Amino acid sequence: MEDYIESIYLLVQQKGYARVSDISDVLRIQRPAVSKMIQRLDQEKYLIYEKYRGIVLTKKGEKFGKRLLHRHKLLERFLETIGVHSENIYSDVEGIEHHLSWDAIDRIDDLIQFFEEKEDRIKELRDIQGKKNEHDHDGEISF
């Protein structure tokens, strides 16, 4: 459900509208399955769906979509901050974002703020990571 709302929110931000076919393309899900979820989200008052006319988010849907996008971007920043390789960030975020509580998301936000307030903190983290990487290359197995 969250992927649908986030995708619709992004499509509306980018194109001004969202259609079942757009969502199907973005999520790589067949159109009948997308239509079924759209009807459910309409019933739950996240959006208004008029067949052949498009999808409009309600205030509830827009607020939730905005929060989901914030969560996604926050997790990308977090993984970047802690030194995850850029080629892994998107798939890692997709793998974890739906499994974290909003409390955990808020604490990750705090941690990012902690690192960003003083650049020395990120440097210290990079130093620790550098030492770990040196040990990894000494033939030791790390877990």
Side-chain angles (χ1 to χ4, degrees):
M1 176 181 96
E2 291 180 350
D3 284 337
Y4 284 87
I5 295 172
E6 185 178 352
S7 296
I8 294 165
Y9 181 81
L10 279 170
L11 285 164
V12 170
Q13 294 296 310
Q14 294 166 355
K15 296 171 49 168
Y17 62 90
R19 298 176 307 202
V20 169
S21 59
D22 298 325
I23 299 161
S24 175
D25 292 343
V26 168
L27 296 177
R28 290 184 231 126
I29 298 172
Q30 293 183 354
R31 289 181 187 174
V34 172
S35 291
K36 188 173 182 179
M37 177 58 80
I38 294 302
Q39 290 169 2
R40 178 179 159 207
L41 293 172
D42 187 11
Q43 290 172 347
E44 294 180 16
K45 308 290 186 218
Y46 285 102
L47 55 84
I48 299 167
Y49 173 57
E50 295 179 22
K51 206 168 190 172
Y52 308 114
R53 296 202 66 204
I55 297 159
V56 178
L57 289 171
T58 61
K59 287 200 183 286
K60 176 182 175 180
E62 190 170 329
K63 183 178 178 182
F64 194 46
K66 188 174 185 177
R67 182 146 189 198
L68 292 171
L69 183 61
H70 169 74
R71 176 183 70 185
H72 189 97
K73 289 182 176 188
L74 180 75
L75 290 172
E76 286 179 346
R77 276 180 47 220
F78 173 66
L79 294 179
E80 184 179 304
T81 299
I82 64 171
V84 173
H85 296 287
S86 60
E87 65 270 11
N88 297 326
I89 289 177
Y90 181 80
S91 61
D92 286 349
V93 169
E94 287 298 311
I96 64 173
E97 69 182 334
H98 303 293
H99 301 283
L100 295 171
S101 68
W102 289 105
D103 183 40
I105 297 298
D106 290 341
R107 298 302 66 80
I108 288 169
D109 198 3
D110 296 342
L111 187 58
I112 291 170
Q113 184 178 345
F114 173 79
F115 277 112
E116 290 177 347
E117 282 177 354
K118 295 185 180 176
E119 286 188 29
D120 289 352
R121 293 172 178 160
I122 292 176
K123 184 185 178 314
E124 288 177 36
L125 177 61
R126 296 292 179 262
D127 290 344
I128 291 167
Q129 291 168 337
K131 290 176 188 172
K132 180 184 176 285
N133 287 337
E134 287 174 17
H135 292 293
D136 289 350
H137 296 296
D138 290 341
E140 295 180 18
I141 298 173
S142 65
F143 295 91

